[in-house]
Amino acid sequence: MMKLHWSPRSPFVRKVMIVLEETGLTEQVEQVRSVVAMPLPPNEAVMADNPLGKIPTLVTEEGKALFDSRVICEYLDLRAGTGLFPADPTARVDQLTWQALGDGLTDILLLWRTELTRETGPWEAVTEGWLAKVRASMARLESEVPDLRASGFGIGHVAVICALGQLDFRWPECGWRDHFPALAAWEAEMAARASVSANPVVNDQGEGENEITLGRLAF
């Protein structure tokens, strides 16, 4: 059986969980709850498999450790032959580009929230840059909804869904749906997909953690 260093709060773990559902491999993976965070000491159990100390990390039956989510998702797709990474060059590049955009947006949201916890206050020049990039990324996604709809479900869709889920989870007051109606309608359709609805982000360590992001992101 494979082993997955896992957290219900991680958007990148959610990517892997959605792909596991799509590939039908969920029951072949032992999920190991692993707590990692930038302000915390490295998790020794995760470090034993991944020197970067990050999740998700997948350990195969042969003991090979795979990371990050992009590598894990492609491995699972190859293993199951699902086609989330299309063989057609044009379709593949489209999916990989959407994955890069979704993952990049998620990275910014994670780093930005961590920066807001700095005791001396956030570095405003950096956070202003992140604000501009988040706005530009959302505008690009809004413009690409017709192409997202026209394409078969793939890894790019998964990454974008997880990025939007991170907005809802950690930046709930930003009101992105009011400003990007086409993207909001597409996300609602995707949320009804079985693999997505079966793998929501869940805060299993208490509520009241989003006050630091209030008023920081507006469109």
Side-chain angles (χ1 to χ4, degrees):
M1 178 171 282
M2 294 179 280
K3 177 181 73 174
L4 178 68
H5 288 288
W6 167 93
S7 166
R9 295 151 55 102
S10 166
F12 291 116
V13 169
R14 188 185 185 204
K15 264 183 73 184
V16 171
M17 295 304 298
I18 291 172
V19 169
L20 280 170
E21 194 82 20
E22 291 285 336
T23 57
L25 297 173
T26 304
E27 298 304 317
Q28 297 183 35
V29 175
E30 175 193 4
Q31 299 171 30
V32 178
R33 179 66 170 97
S34 304
V35 177
V36 300
M38 290 180 67
L40 298 178
N43 184 314
E44 292 184 4
V46 177
M47 291 279 288
D49 292 321
N50 178 354
L52 299 174
K54 292 184 174 184
I55 59 172
T57 296
L58 180 76
V59 181
T60 69
E61 294 93 336
E62 297 77 25
K64 186 175 182 62
L66 306 178
F67 46 88
D68 56 8
S69 68
R70 288 166 289 193
V71 175
I72 296 170
C73 289
E74 188 160 5
Y75 167 78
L76 295 171
D77 187 59
L78 286 169
R79 178 168 171 155
T82 314
L84 297 174
F85 293 77
D88 175 77
T90 300
R92 185 180 184 85
V93 168
D94 285 345
Q95 290 293 337
L96 292 178
T97 302
W98 287 323
Q99 178 178 225
L101 182 54
D103 285 356
L105 176 55
T106 299
D107 274 332
I108 290 174
L109 295 172
L110 290 169
L111 290 170
W112 190 355
R113 185 176 179 278
T114 298
E115 180 68 17
L116 293 174
T117 66
R118 188 193 295 268
E119 291 184 3
T120 56
W123 188 355
E124 294 296 342
V126 172
T127 59
E128 287 174 8
W130 286 334
L131 173 59
K133 292 173 183 179
V134 169
R135 287 172 171 170
S137 297
M138 293 295 286
R140 173 66 65 87
L141 288 171
E142 175 78 0
S143 72
E144 296 199 3
V145 167
D147 293 333
L148 285 164
R149 288 186 184 279
S151 300
F153 189 82
I155 193 60
H157 297 77
V158 177
V160 172
I161 289 164
C162 291
L164 298 177
Q166 187 66 12
L167 277 174
D168 288 337
F169 182 50
R170 289 305 194 194
W171 306 78
E173 303 300 317
C174 72
W176 68 268
R177 289 177 176 82
D178 295 334
H179 299 273
F180 306 103
L183 187 60
W186 175 83
E187 186 274 340
E189 294 171 10
M190 293 295 100
R193 190 176 180 94
S195 61
V196 178
S197 62
N199 292 287
V201 178
V202 176
N203 189 351
D204 65 344
Q205 293 188 346
E207 300 301 327
E209 296 184 345
N210 292 330
E211 289 85 352
I212 58 173
T213 63
L214 293 177
R216 288 286 181 170
L217 175 58
F219 296 103

